Amino acid sequence: MPSEPKVNILMVDDHPENLLALEAILEGLGQNLVKAHSGMEALRCLLNQDFAVILLDVQMPDMDGFETATLIRQRARSHSTPIIFLTAFSTSDTLQMRGYSLGAVDYLFKPIQPEILTSKVSVFVELYQKTAQIEQQAAELKKSEERFRRLSASSPVGIFLLDTSARCTYMNSRCQVICGCTLEQITQNWWQIIHPEERDRVLAEWLACFHAGQEYANELRIQTQDTLRWVHLRSSPMLCDKGEVIGYVGTLEDISDRKQAEAERSKLIYEQAARAEAESANRMKDEFLAVLSHELRTPLNSILGWAGLLRTRKFDEKTVAKALETIERNAKSQAQLIEDILDISRIIQGKLRLHLCPVNLIPIIEAAINAVRPAAEAKAIQLEACFDTPKFVCADPERLQQVIWNLLTNAIKFTPERGIVEVRLESVDAAYTQIHVRDTGIGINPEFLPYVFDTFRQGDSTTTRSHGGLGLGLGIVRHLVELHHGTVAVSSAGEGQGATFTVRLPVLEKVEGEPLKSLPSLS
């Protein structure tokens, strides 16, 4: 017999020897055999136990088997318990019909054949066991359903079910609150609650996962009447025992508060960044004004000083020439400062205009080199130039020379005596050419590299710094190069290791004997 809990079999007979005989026949079934010597004793047994089958003797004193069966059937707990009547005195049809009318399942006559009795009883034992299993499974299923119902009802997130045709078949109460509608209102067209701006995209992504049997997760907005909510949607396929998709289960979480907090946090961060940027801009302007005052005052002091000396004293011809040279040099320095300020003003106001024409880069670069050569020779700096095949660009010659001059002047200013400044022109491809200005100067701190071309920004903006200037030259370079549809970049291995500035410009195709056509209008 299987290792299942034993079931009870009730044997009722007023003769002990008959009970012993029944016990001997049925003990091989391995079940719990309960003996009762009268109808009343049988009823008392039924008060406390359930039985798979009852073997009931018909002829008993005080209360016969039929009377006992009548009382057994009146109790709801034993109303369906199988009864097999046992008798040795009558085989009349009348008594058998009476037994069957009382719910008897069989009628056996003594002497009882063991094989027949064992076979009949074993059938009811097995039926009782299977019924008990089904009832147990039903009870567990009921508990499971109740547990799911309670879990679903108390869940802090919305839960929904979809069938294979994407129809919504279930929504817990939280899901209905989030969606702002009932299951009946949303069964067919549940996607209508998705915000119109996101509906097509979300539906396309979700359907792709739905048909592929894949999980889906996304944050989106839903619009119900006058309420807008942010939700986090998740859905996963439900599979049967064969691994086939039989529907989808999903969760819906209201994340509106989190999104609101994120928006407020982003706004705060933006405001803080804007405030910091404004404070930085104000600080840079203050520093620039301080540097501007210093840079304008320095040459002005020399001019005024020598002019006063020349007016009040008599100098020899050599001293006068030196004084005039100093005045002229400082006046040119002031003029250059003012010109840079005017250029920045034009750039900021968008009023800087270019006069474009085809330009050969080599003469432009050579002119810029010749212009800075005296400054380089004063510091014994070696100027080197290397030119690739001449390239023509569409440019403003004066402004392009200003770009090269600014880069060379910057390189010479930050390169110590007996250093090297190299200019190299090379072709990148058929569409672009590059100008490299490399020096062996003081280099650039890696933290300052991203800000090299920012207007009004300098690595050292104090008035006691060792190198003069307003810090406008590289900002002007960047704007002029961009106006020529080019780019400018800088690289440096660090402080004390020099720097390389690279200007990249689009080239024009030169046709012998014909003017270049279709020059773009830049401003």
PDB file of all heavy atoms in Angstrom, residues 314-350:
ATOM      1  N   LYS A 314      66.930 118.388 -21.271  1.00  0.00           N
ATOM      2  CA  LYS A 314      67.593 118.309 -22.576  1.00  0.00           C
ATOM      3  C   LYS A 314      68.462 117.049 -22.561  1.00  0.00           C
ATOM      4  O   LYS A 314      69.314 116.892 -21.687  1.00  0.00           O
ATOM      5  CB  LYS A 314      68.452 119.543 -22.840  1.00  0.00           C
ATOM      6  CG  LYS A 314      67.638 120.810 -23.052  1.00  0.00           C
ATOM      7  CD  LYS A 314      68.550 121.957 -23.422  1.00  0.00           C
ATOM      8  CE  LYS A 314      67.706 123.219 -23.564  1.00  0.00           C
ATOM      9  NZ  LYS A 314      67.571 123.626 -24.913  1.00  0.00           N
ATOM     10  N   PHE A 315      68.235 116.136 -23.534  1.00  0.00           N
ATOM     11  CA  PHE A 315      68.998 114.882 -23.649  1.00  0.00           C
ATOM     12  C   PHE A 315      69.757 114.895 -24.954  1.00  0.00           C
ATOM     13  O   PHE A 315      69.412 115.596 -25.918  1.00  0.00           O
ATOM     14  CB  PHE A 315      68.054 113.677 -23.617  1.00  0.00           C
ATOM     15  CG  PHE A 315      67.331 113.512 -22.301  1.00  0.00           C
ATOM     16  CD1 PHE A 315      65.991 113.874 -22.192  1.00  0.00           C
ATOM     17  CD2 PHE A 315      67.983 113.008 -21.187  1.00  0.00           C
ATOM     18  CE1 PHE A 315      65.317 113.711 -20.996  1.00  0.00           C
ATOM     19  CE2 PHE A 315      67.304 112.851 -19.990  1.00  0.00           C
ATOM     20  CZ  PHE A 315      65.971 113.197 -19.887  1.00  0.00           C
ATOM     21  N   ASP A 316      70.766 114.059 -24.955  1.00  0.00           N
ATOM     22  CA  ASP A 316      71.513 113.924 -26.222  1.00  0.00           C
ATOM     23  C   ASP A 316      70.638 113.164 -27.213  1.00  0.00           C
ATOM     24  O   ASP A 316      69.584 112.622 -26.882  1.00  0.00           O
ATOM     25  CB  ASP A 316      72.854 113.218 -25.981  1.00  0.00           C
ATOM     26  CG  ASP A 316      72.683 111.849 -25.332  1.00  0.00           C
ATOM     27  OD1 ASP A 316      71.630 111.204 -25.577  1.00  0.00           O
ATOM     28  OD2 ASP A 316      73.572 111.414 -24.571  1.00  0.00           O
ATOM     29  N   GLU A 317      71.144 113.139 -28.442  1.00  0.00           N
ATOM     30  CA  GLU A 317      70.362 112.553 -29.545  1.00  0.00           C
ATOM     31  C   GLU A 317      70.070 111.076 -29.302  1.00  0.00           C
ATOM     32  O   GLU A 317      68.971 110.590 -29.595  1.00  0.00           O
ATOM     33  CB  GLU A 317      71.125 112.736 -30.863  1.00  0.00           C
ATOM     34  CG  GLU A 317      70.317 112.326 -32.089  1.00  0.00           C
ATOM     35  CD  GLU A 317      71.063 112.613 -33.380  1.00  0.00           C
ATOM     36  OE1 GLU A 317      71.994 113.439 -33.376  1.00  0.00           O
ATOM     37  OE2 GLU A 317      70.688 111.995 -34.386  1.00  0.00           O
ATOM     38  N   LYS A 318      71.000 110.333 -28.741  1.00  0.00           N
ATOM     39  CA  LYS A 318      70.818 108.891 -28.508  1.00  0.00           C
ATOM     40  C   LYS A 318      69.726 108.639 -27.482  1.00  0.00           C
ATOM     41  O   LYS A 318      68.867 107.751 -27.652  1.00  0.00           O
ATOM     42  CB  LYS A 318      72.135 108.289 -28.039  1.00  0.00           C
ATOM     43  CG  LYS A 318      72.079 106.792 -27.834  1.00  0.00           C
ATOM     44  CD  LYS A 318      73.453 106.254 -27.444  1.00  0.00           C
ATOM     45  CE  LYS A 318      73.395 104.748 -27.223  1.00  0.00           C
ATOM     46  NZ  LYS A 318      74.711 104.198 -26.813  1.00  0.00           N
ATOM     47  N   THR A 319      69.722 109.443 -26.406  1.00  0.00           N
ATOM     48  CA  THR A 319      68.712 109.275 -25.362  1.00  0.00           C
ATOM     49  C   THR A 319      67.327 109.649 -25.874  1.00  0.00           C
ATOM     50  O   THR A 319      66.319 109.005 -25.553  1.00  0.00           O
ATOM     51  CB  THR A 319      69.073 110.131 -24.135  1.00  0.00           C
ATOM     52  OG1 THR A 319      70.382 109.775 -23.674  1.00  0.00           O
ATOM     53  CG2 THR A 319      68.060 109.926 -23.019  1.00  0.00           C
ATOM     54  N   VAL A 320      67.283 110.727 -26.665  1.00  0.00           N
ATOM     55  CA  VAL A 320      65.999 111.137 -27.240  1.00  0.00           C
ATOM     56  C   VAL A 320      65.436 110.035 -28.130  1.00  0.00           C
ATOM     57  O   VAL A 320      64.234 109.711 -28.087  1.00  0.00           O
ATOM     58  CB  VAL A 320      66.159 112.451 -28.028  1.00  0.00           C
ATOM     59  CG1 VAL A 320      64.874 112.761 -28.819  1.00  0.00           C
ATOM     60  CG2 VAL A 320      66.495 113.603 -27.097  1.00  0.00           C
ATOM     61  N   ALA A 321      66.321 109.425 -28.941  1.00  0.00           N
ATOM     62  CA  ALA A 321      65.866 108.346 -29.828  1.00  0.00           C
ATOM     63  C   ALA A 321      65.330 107.162 -29.014  1.00  0.00           C
ATOM     64  O   ALA A 321      64.310 106.551 -29.352  1.00  0.00           O
ATOM     65  CB  ALA A 321      67.012 107.897 -30.730  1.00  0.00           C
ATOM     66  N   LYS A 322      66.023 106.843 -27.898  1.00  0.00           N
ATOM     67  CA  LYS A 322      65.586 105.743 -27.029  1.00  0.00           C
ATOM     68  C   LYS A 322      64.233 106.066 -26.403  1.00  0.00           C
ATOM     69  O   LYS A 322      63.348 105.203 -26.303  1.00  0.00           O
ATOM     70  CB  LYS A 322      66.618 105.487 -25.946  1.00  0.00           C
ATOM     71  CG  LYS A 322      66.237 104.379 -24.989  1.00  0.00           C
ATOM     72  CD  LYS A 322      67.303 104.204 -23.915  1.00  0.00           C
ATOM     73  CE  LYS A 322      66.882 103.122 -22.937  1.00  0.00           C
ATOM     74  NZ  LYS A 322      67.872 102.954 -21.843  1.00  0.00           N
ATOM     75  N   ALA A 323      64.077 107.350 -25.982  1.00  0.00           N
ATOM     76  CA  ALA A 323      62.823 107.758 -25.365  1.00  0.00           C
ATOM     77  C   ALA A 323      61.668 107.642 -26.360  1.00  0.00           C
ATOM     78  O   ALA A 323      60.579 107.138 -26.040  1.00  0.00           O
ATOM     79  CB  ALA A 323      62.938 109.180 -24.850  1.00  0.00           C
ATOM     80  N   LEU A 324      61.900 108.113 -27.595  1.00  0.00           N
ATOM     81  CA  LEU A 324      60.842 108.049 -28.612  1.00  0.00           C
ATOM     82  C   LEU A 324      60.503 106.599 -28.965  1.00  0.00           C
ATOM     83  O   LEU A 324      59.335 106.254 -29.199  1.00  0.00           O
ATOM     84  CB  LEU A 324      61.271 108.812 -29.858  1.00  0.00           C
ATOM     85  CG  LEU A 324      61.410 110.348 -29.686  1.00  0.00           C
ATOM     86  CD1 LEU A 324      61.963 110.979 -30.950  1.00  0.00           C
ATOM     87  CD2 LEU A 324      60.049 110.962 -29.339  1.00  0.00           C
ATOM     88  N   GLU A 325      61.563 105.772 -29.003  1.00  0.00           N
ATOM     89  CA  GLU A 325      61.321 104.350 -29.302  1.00  0.00           C
ATOM     90  C   GLU A 325      60.470 103.711 -28.208  1.00  0.00           C
ATOM     91  O   GLU A 325      59.552 102.929 -28.487  1.00  0.00           O
ATOM     92  CB  GLU A 325      62.652 103.620 -29.426  1.00  0.00           C
ATOM     93  CG  GLU A 325      62.493 102.134 -29.732  1.00  0.00           C
ATOM     94  CD  GLU A 325      63.833 101.415 -29.743  1.00  0.00           C
ATOM     95  OE1 GLU A 325      64.885 102.079 -29.668  1.00  0.00           O
ATOM     96  OE2 GLU A 325      63.807 100.166 -29.822  1.00  0.00           O
ATOM     97  N   THR A 326      60.770 104.061 -26.945  1.00  0.00           N
ATOM     98  CA  THR A 326      59.997 103.518 -25.821  1.00  0.00           C
ATOM     99  C   THR A 326      58.562 103.997 -25.879  1.00  0.00           C
ATOM    100  O   THR A 326      57.607 103.229 -25.666  1.00  0.00           O
ATOM    101  CB  THR A 326      60.637 103.937 -24.489  1.00  0.00           C
ATOM    102  OG1 THR A 326      61.987 103.475 -24.443  1.00  0.00           O
ATOM    103  CG2 THR A 326      59.850 103.372 -23.303  1.00  0.00           C
ATOM    104  N   ILE A 327      58.371 105.285 -26.150  1.00  0.00           N
ATOM    105  CA  ILE A 327      57.009 105.835 -26.252  1.00  0.00           C
ATOM    106  C   ILE A 327      56.234 105.148 -27.364  1.00  0.00           C
ATOM    107  O   ILE A 327      55.067 104.751 -27.194  1.00  0.00           O
ATOM    108  CB  ILE A 327      57.074 107.361 -26.484  1.00  0.00           C
ATOM    109  CG1 ILE A 327      57.605 108.059 -25.225  1.00  0.00           C
ATOM    110  CG2 ILE A 327      55.697 107.901 -26.866  1.00  0.00           C
ATOM    111  CD1 ILE A 327      57.857 109.550 -25.422  1.00  0.00           C
ATOM    112  N   GLU A 328      56.903 104.970 -28.518  1.00  0.00           N
ATOM    113  CA  GLU A 328      56.234 104.340 -29.660  1.00  0.00           C
ATOM    114  C   GLU A 328      55.864 102.888 -29.349  1.00  0.00           C
ATOM    115  O   GLU A 328      54.757 102.427 -29.649  1.00  0.00           O
ATOM    116  CB  GLU A 328      57.131 104.400 -30.889  1.00  0.00           C
ATOM    117  CG  GLU A 328      56.476 103.804 -32.131  1.00  0.00           C
ATOM    118  CD  GLU A 328      57.401 103.858 -33.344  1.00  0.00           C
ATOM    119  OE1 GLU A 328      58.602 104.183 -33.166  1.00  0.00           O
ATOM    120  OE2 GLU A 328      56.915 103.573 -34.454  1.00  0.00           O
ATOM    121  N   ARG A 329      56.804 102.151 -28.715  1.00  0.00           N
ATOM    122  CA  ARG A 329      56.545 100.735 -28.409  1.00  0.00           C
ATOM    123  C   ARG A 329      55.373 100.579 -27.440  1.00  0.00           C
ATOM    124  O   ARG A 329      54.496  99.738 -27.608  1.00  0.00           O
ATOM    125  CB  ARG A 329      57.807 100.103 -27.826  1.00  0.00           C
ATOM    126  CG  ARG A 329      57.636  98.597 -27.536  1.00  0.00           C
ATOM    127  CD  ARG A 329      58.920  97.966 -27.072  1.00  0.00           C
ATOM    128  NE  ARG A 329      59.302  98.464 -25.752  1.00  0.00           N
ATOM    129  CZ  ARG A 329      60.308  99.288 -25.532  1.00  0.00           C
ATOM    130  NH1 ARG A 329      61.044  99.737 -26.550  1.00  0.00           N
ATOM    131  NH2 ARG A 329      60.591  99.691 -24.308  1.00  0.00           N
ATOM    132  N   ASN A 330      55.339 101.433 -26.417  1.00  0.00           N
ATOM    133  CA  ASN A 330      54.250 101.347 -25.441  1.00  0.00           C
ATOM    134  C   ASN A 330      52.924 101.820 -26.036  1.00  0.00           C
ATOM    135  O   ASN A 330      51.855 101.312 -25.664  1.00  0.00           O
ATOM    136  CB  ASN A 330      54.607 102.161 -24.201  1.00  0.00           C
ATOM    137  CG  ASN A 330      55.601 101.440 -23.300  1.00  0.00           C
ATOM    138  OD1 ASN A 330      55.224 100.585 -22.510  1.00  0.00           O
ATOM    139  ND2 ASN A 330      56.877 101.782 -23.425  1.00  0.00           N
ATOM    140  N   ALA A 331      52.985 102.801 -26.934  1.00  0.00           N
ATOM    141  CA  ALA A 331      51.763 103.257 -27.602  1.00  0.00           C
ATOM    142  C   ALA A 331      51.185 102.134 -28.477  1.00  0.00           C
ATOM    143  O   ALA A 331      49.970 101.917 -28.516  1.00  0.00           O
ATOM    144  CB  ALA A 331      52.048 104.488 -28.433  1.00  0.00           C
ATOM    145  N   LYS A 332      52.102 101.418 -29.183  1.00  0.00           N
ATOM    146  CA  LYS A 332      51.641 100.288 -29.998  1.00  0.00           C
ATOM    147  C   LYS A 332      51.047  99.187 -29.107  1.00  0.00           C
ATOM    148  O   LYS A 332      50.065  98.546 -29.468  1.00  0.00           O
ATOM    149  CB  LYS A 332      52.791  99.730 -30.825  1.00  0.00           C
ATOM    150  CG  LYS A 332      53.212 100.633 -31.972  1.00  0.00           C
ATOM    151  CD  LYS A 332      54.343  99.997 -32.769  1.00  0.00           C
ATOM    152  CE  LYS A 332      54.735 100.869 -33.971  1.00  0.00           C
ATOM    153  NZ  LYS A 332      55.850 100.264 -34.754  1.00  0.00           N
ATOM    154  N   SER A 333      51.668  98.977 -27.940  1.00  0.00           N
ATOM    155  CA  SER A 333      51.155  97.977 -27.013  1.00  0.00           C
ATOM    156  C   SER A 333      49.751  98.348 -26.556  1.00  0.00           C
ATOM    157  O   SER A 333      48.842  97.505 -26.520  1.00  0.00           O
ATOM    158  CB  SER A 333      52.089  97.841 -25.803  1.00  0.00           C
ATOM    159  OG  SER A 333      51.554  96.957 -24.848  1.00  0.00           O
ATOM    160  N   GLN A 334      49.564  99.633 -26.232  1.00  0.00           N
ATOM    161  CA  GLN A 334      48.231 100.095 -25.842  1.00  0.00           C
ATOM    162  C   GLN A 334      47.235  99.966 -26.996  1.00  0.00           C
ATOM    163  O   GLN A 334      46.087  99.564 -26.801  1.00  0.00           O
ATOM    164  CB  GLN A 334      48.293 101.546 -25.370  1.00  0.00           C
ATOM    165  CG  GLN A 334      48.546 101.711 -23.893  1.00  0.00           C
ATOM    166  CD  GLN A 334      48.185 103.116 -23.414  1.00  0.00           C
ATOM    167  OE1 GLN A 334      48.141 104.058 -24.186  1.00  0.00           O
ATOM    168  NE2 GLN A 334      47.924 103.226 -22.120  1.00  0.00           N
ATOM    169  N   ALA A 335      47.679 100.309 -28.176  1.00  0.00           N
ATOM    170  CA  ALA A 335      46.802 100.217 -29.349  1.00  0.00           C
ATOM    171  C   ALA A 335      46.367  98.765 -29.582  1.00  0.00           C
ATOM    172  O   ALA A 335      45.210  98.498 -29.938  1.00  0.00           O
ATOM    173  CB  ALA A 335      47.516 100.768 -30.577  1.00  0.00           C
ATOM    174  N   GLN A 336      47.322  97.819 -29.382  1.00  0.00           N
ATOM    175  CA  GLN A 336      46.985  96.401 -29.564  1.00  0.00           C
ATOM    176  C   GLN A 336      45.968  95.952 -28.519  1.00  0.00           C
ATOM    177  O   GLN A 336      45.013  95.222 -28.819  1.00  0.00           O
ATOM    178  CB  GLN A 336      48.241  95.535 -29.470  1.00  0.00           C
ATOM    179  CG  GLN A 336      47.983  94.053 -29.735  1.00  0.00           C
ATOM    180  CD  GLN A 336      47.416  93.805 -31.123  1.00  0.00           C
ATOM    181  OE1 GLN A 336      47.979  94.266 -32.120  1.00  0.00           O
ATOM    182  NE2 GLN A 336      46.301  93.107 -31.198  1.00  0.00           N
ATOM    183  N   LEU A 337      46.163  96.409 -27.260  1.00  0.00           N
ATOM    184  CA  LEU A 337      45.205  96.074 -26.209  1.00  0.00           C
ATOM    185  C   LEU A 337      43.818  96.600 -26.552  1.00  0.00           C
ATOM    186  O   LEU A 337      42.808  95.895 -26.420  1.00  0.00           O
ATOM    187  CB  LEU A 337      45.668  96.658 -24.868  1.00  0.00           C
ATOM    188  CG  LEU A 337      46.924  96.043 -24.227  1.00  0.00           C
ATOM    189  CD1 LEU A 337      47.311  96.832 -22.991  1.00  0.00           C
ATOM    190  CD2 LEU A 337      46.684  94.588 -23.880  1.00  0.00           C
ATOM    191  N   ILE A 338      43.754  97.830 -26.991  1.00  0.00           N
ATOM    192  CA  ILE A 338      42.466  98.428 -27.338  1.00  0.00           C
ATOM    193  C   ILE A 338      41.836  97.719 -28.525  1.00  0.00           C
ATOM    194  O   ILE A 338      40.625  97.468 -28.564  1.00  0.00           O
ATOM    195  CB  ILE A 338      42.649  99.934 -27.635  1.00  0.00           C
ATOM    196  CG1 ILE A 338      43.075 100.655 -26.341  1.00  0.00           C
ATOM    197  CG2 ILE A 338      41.382 100.545 -28.201  1.00  0.00           C
ATOM    198  CD1 ILE A 338      43.509 102.095 -26.553  1.00  0.00           C
ATOM    199  N   GLU A 339      42.673  97.318 -29.503  1.00  0.00           N
ATOM    200  CA  GLU A 339      42.158  96.612 -30.676  1.00  0.00           C
ATOM    201  C   GLU A 339      41.584  95.254 -30.279  1.00  0.00           C
ATOM    202  O   GLU A 339      40.528  94.834 -30.776  1.00  0.00           O
ATOM    203  CB  GLU A 339      43.263  96.440 -31.718  1.00  0.00           C
ATOM    204  CG  GLU A 339      42.778  95.886 -33.051  1.00  0.00           C
ATOM    205  CD  GLU A 339      41.743  96.786 -33.718  1.00  0.00           C
ATOM    206  OE1 GLU A 339      41.839  98.025 -33.585  1.00  0.00           O
ATOM    207  OE2 GLU A 339      40.826  96.237 -34.373  1.00  0.00           O
ATOM    208  N   ASP A 340      42.256  94.562 -29.343  1.00  0.00           N
ATOM    209  CA  ASP A 340      41.737  93.276 -28.860  1.00  0.00           C
ATOM    210  C   ASP A 340      40.396  93.466 -28.165  1.00  0.00           C
ATOM    211  O   ASP A 340      39.464  92.675 -28.349  1.00  0.00           O
ATOM    212  CB  ASP A 340      42.732  92.629 -27.888  1.00  0.00           C
ATOM    213  CG  ASP A 340      43.944  92.052 -28.605  1.00  0.00           C
ATOM    214  OD1 ASP A 340      43.887  91.922 -29.846  1.00  0.00           O
ATOM    215  OD2 ASP A 340      44.930  91.725 -27.921  1.00  0.00           O
ATOM    216  N   ILE A 341      40.285  94.522 -27.359  1.00  0.00           N
ATOM    217  CA  ILE A 341      39.027  94.789 -26.662  1.00  0.00           C
ATOM    218  C   ILE A 341      37.916  95.080 -27.665  1.00  0.00           C
ATOM    219  O   ILE A 341      36.784  94.599 -27.537  1.00  0.00           O
ATOM    220  CB  ILE A 341      39.204  95.965 -25.679  1.00  0.00           C
ATOM    221  CG1 ILE A 341      40.171  95.565 -24.549  1.00  0.00           C
ATOM    222  CG2 ILE A 341      37.862  96.374 -25.089  1.00  0.00           C
ATOM    223  CD1 ILE A 341      40.553  96.725 -23.657  1.00  0.00           C
ATOM    224  N   LEU A 342      38.249  95.861 -28.697  1.00  0.00           N
ATOM    225  CA  LEU A 342      37.246  96.162 -29.723  1.00  0.00           C
ATOM    226  C   LEU A 342      36.830  94.904 -30.479  1.00  0.00           C
ATOM    227  O   LEU A 342      35.649  94.731 -30.818  1.00  0.00           O
ATOM    228  CB  LEU A 342      37.792  97.219 -30.692  1.00  0.00           C
ATOM    229  CG  LEU A 342      37.988  98.627 -30.098  1.00  0.00           C
ATOM    230  CD1 LEU A 342      38.662  99.539 -31.127  1.00  0.00           C
ATOM    231  CD2 LEU A 342      36.646  99.212 -29.663  1.00  0.00           C
ATOM    232  N   ASP A 343      37.801  94.021 -30.768  1.00  0.00           N
ATOM    233  CA  ASP A 343      37.470  92.761 -31.453  1.00  0.00           C
ATOM    234  C   ASP A 343      36.524  91.910 -30.615  1.00  0.00           C
ATOM    235  O   ASP A 343      35.550  91.350 -31.136  1.00  0.00           O
ATOM    236  CB  ASP A 343      38.755  91.973 -31.746  1.00  0.00           C
ATOM    237  CG  ASP A 343      39.473  92.483 -32.989  1.00  0.00           C
ATOM    238  OD1 ASP A 343      38.843  93.245 -33.753  1.00  0.00           O
ATOM    239  OD2 ASP A 343      40.649  92.138 -33.190  1.00  0.00           O
ATOM    240  N   ILE A 344      36.810  91.791 -29.310  1.00  0.00           N
ATOM    241  CA  ILE A 344      35.935  91.011 -28.432  1.00  0.00           C
ATOM    242  C   ILE A 344      34.543  91.621 -28.403  1.00  0.00           C
ATOM    243  O   ILE A 344      33.524  90.915 -28.434  1.00  0.00           O
ATOM    244  CB  ILE A 344      36.530  90.939 -27.007  1.00  0.00           C
ATOM    245  CG1 ILE A 344      37.737  90.003 -26.989  1.00  0.00           C
ATOM    246  CG2 ILE A 344      35.486  90.469 -25.999  1.00  0.00           C
ATOM    247  CD1 ILE A 344      37.409  88.559 -27.300  1.00  0.00           C
ATOM    248  N   SER A 345      34.485  92.965 -28.377  1.00  0.00           N
ATOM    249  CA  SER A 345      33.183  93.638 -28.381  1.00  0.00           C
ATOM    250  C   SER A 345      32.418  93.324 -29.656  1.00  0.00           C
ATOM    251  O   SER A 345      31.221  93.046 -29.619  1.00  0.00           O
ATOM    252  CB  SER A 345      33.385  95.149 -28.234  1.00  0.00           C
ATOM    253  OG  SER A 345      32.153  95.830 -28.312  1.00  0.00           O
ATOM    254  N   ARG A 346      33.113  93.364 -30.796  1.00  0.00           N
ATOM    255  CA  ARG A 346      32.449  93.051 -32.074  1.00  0.00           C
ATOM    256  C   ARG A 346      31.967  91.599 -32.095  1.00  0.00           C
ATOM    257  O   ARG A 346      30.879  91.282 -32.601  1.00  0.00           O
ATOM    258  CB  ARG A 346      33.407  93.287 -33.236  1.00  0.00           C
ATOM    259  CG  ARG A 346      33.836  94.748 -33.417  1.00  0.00           C
ATOM    260  CD  ARG A 346      34.637  94.910 -34.687  1.00  0.00           C
ATOM    261  NE  ARG A 346      35.287  96.227 -34.740  1.00  0.00           N
ATOM    262  CZ  ARG A 346      36.567  96.438 -34.474  1.00  0.00           C
ATOM    263  NH1 ARG A 346      37.359  95.405 -34.146  1.00  0.00           N
ATOM    264  NH2 ARG A 346      37.085  97.649 -34.515  1.00  0.00           N
ATOM    265  N   ILE A 347      32.808  90.701 -31.550  1.00  0.00           N
ATOM    266  CA  ILE A 347      32.442  89.278 -31.539  1.00  0.00           C
ATOM    267  C   ILE A 347      31.204  89.058 -30.682  1.00  0.00           C
ATOM    268  O   ILE A 347      30.258  88.359 -31.072  1.00  0.00           O
ATOM    269  CB  ILE A 347      33.624  88.429 -31.021  1.00  0.00           C
ATOM    270  CG1 ILE A 347      34.747  88.410 -32.061  1.00  0.00           C
ATOM    271  CG2 ILE A 347      33.168  87.007 -30.709  1.00  0.00           C
ATOM    272  CD1 ILE A 347      36.037  87.806 -31.548  1.00  0.00           C
ATOM    273  N   ILE A 348      31.192  89.663 -29.479  1.00  0.00           N
ATOM    274  CA  ILE A 348      30.059  89.499 -28.574  1.00  0.00           C
ATOM    275  C   ILE A 348      28.784  90.034 -29.206  1.00  0.00           C
ATOM    276  O   ILE A 348      27.699  89.446 -29.072  1.00  0.00           O
ATOM    277  CB  ILE A 348      30.351  90.193 -27.227  1.00  0.00           C
ATOM    278  CG1 ILE A 348      31.483  89.453 -26.487  1.00  0.00           C
ATOM    279  CG2 ILE A 348      29.096  90.245 -26.356  1.00  0.00           C
ATOM    280  CD1 ILE A 348      31.931  90.147 -25.213  1.00  0.00           C
ATOM    281  N   GLN A 349      28.877  91.163 -29.908  1.00  0.00           N
ATOM    282  CA  GLN A 349      27.703  91.784 -30.526  1.00  0.00           C
ATOM    283  C   GLN A 349      27.374  91.195 -31.895  1.00  0.00           C
ATOM    284  O   GLN A 349      26.371  91.551 -32.500  1.00  0.00           O
ATOM    285  CB  GLN A 349      27.939  93.291 -30.672  1.00  0.00           C
ATOM    286  CG  GLN A 349      28.111  94.008 -29.334  1.00  0.00           C
ATOM    287  CD  GLN A 349      28.368  95.495 -29.510  1.00  0.00           C
ATOM    288  OE1 GLN A 349      27.686  96.165 -30.278  1.00  0.00           O
ATOM    289  NE2 GLN A 349      29.371  95.998 -28.820  1.00  0.00           N
ATOM    290  N   GLY A 350      28.213  90.259 -32.367  1.00  0.00           N
ATOM    291  CA  GLY A 350      27.970  89.662 -33.674  1.00  0.00           C
ATOM    292  C   GLY A 350      28.207  90.618 -34.827  1.00  0.00           C
ATOM    293  O   GLY A 350      27.626  90.457 -35.905  1.00  0.00           O
TER     294      GLY A 350
END
